[in-house]
Amino acid sequence: FNHAFHDRRGNVNLNFSWTGSQTDTVFTFPAQTVTLDAYTLVNLTGEYRVTPWLTLFGRAENLFDQKQVDLFGFQNPGRGFFGGFRMGTGG
């Protein structure tokens, strides 16, 4: 889902990503097959042009801090927040 503000100075994007359950191999002796749980990630991004030369932006990854494992024994990062600004010549 993406929404641009009516004045075209900014936008907000909401993204849902679902990964179904999957199998992986644990290399022990003897090797074992395990099933990794399904998970849904929600990410939010946005930006707003304050002036013709200054834009603020931010994003939230894994907004609801969903546990996610794509490889047995290695958990992916949890929730993260990032932000900053861009400066340019305008126009």
Side-chain angles (χ1 to χ4, degrees), residues 1-6 8-15 43-49 56-60 63:
F1 170 79
N2 188 59
H3 175 74
F5 296 117
H6 70 279
R8 305 262 186 227
R9 292 176 67 165
N11 70 69
V12 175
N13 181 279
L14 182 63
N15 174 270
N43 301 313
L44 179 67
T45 63
E47 68 177 29
Y48 188 75
R49 184 172 30 90
L56 301 177
F57 64 88
R59 77 179 190 265
L63 191 60

Side-chain angles (χ1 to χ4, degrees), residues 17-28:
S17 174
W18 179 77
T19 300
S21 62
Q22 45 194 334
T23 59
D24 194 9
T25 301
V26 179
F27 292 100
T28 57

Side-chain angles (χ1 to χ4, degrees), residues 25-38:
T25 301
V26 179
F27 292 100
T28 57
F29 185 78
Q32 299 175 355
T33 299
V34 295
T35 300
L36 305 176
D37 293 335

Side-chain angles (χ1 to χ4, degrees), residues 68-88:
Q68 47 177 316
V69 177
D70 292 316
L71 184 62
F72 182 79
F74 295 92
Q75 185 170 331
N76 291 339
R79 180 183 308 126
F81 297 97
F82 308 89
F85 63 92
R86 281 189 295 274
M87 296 179 72

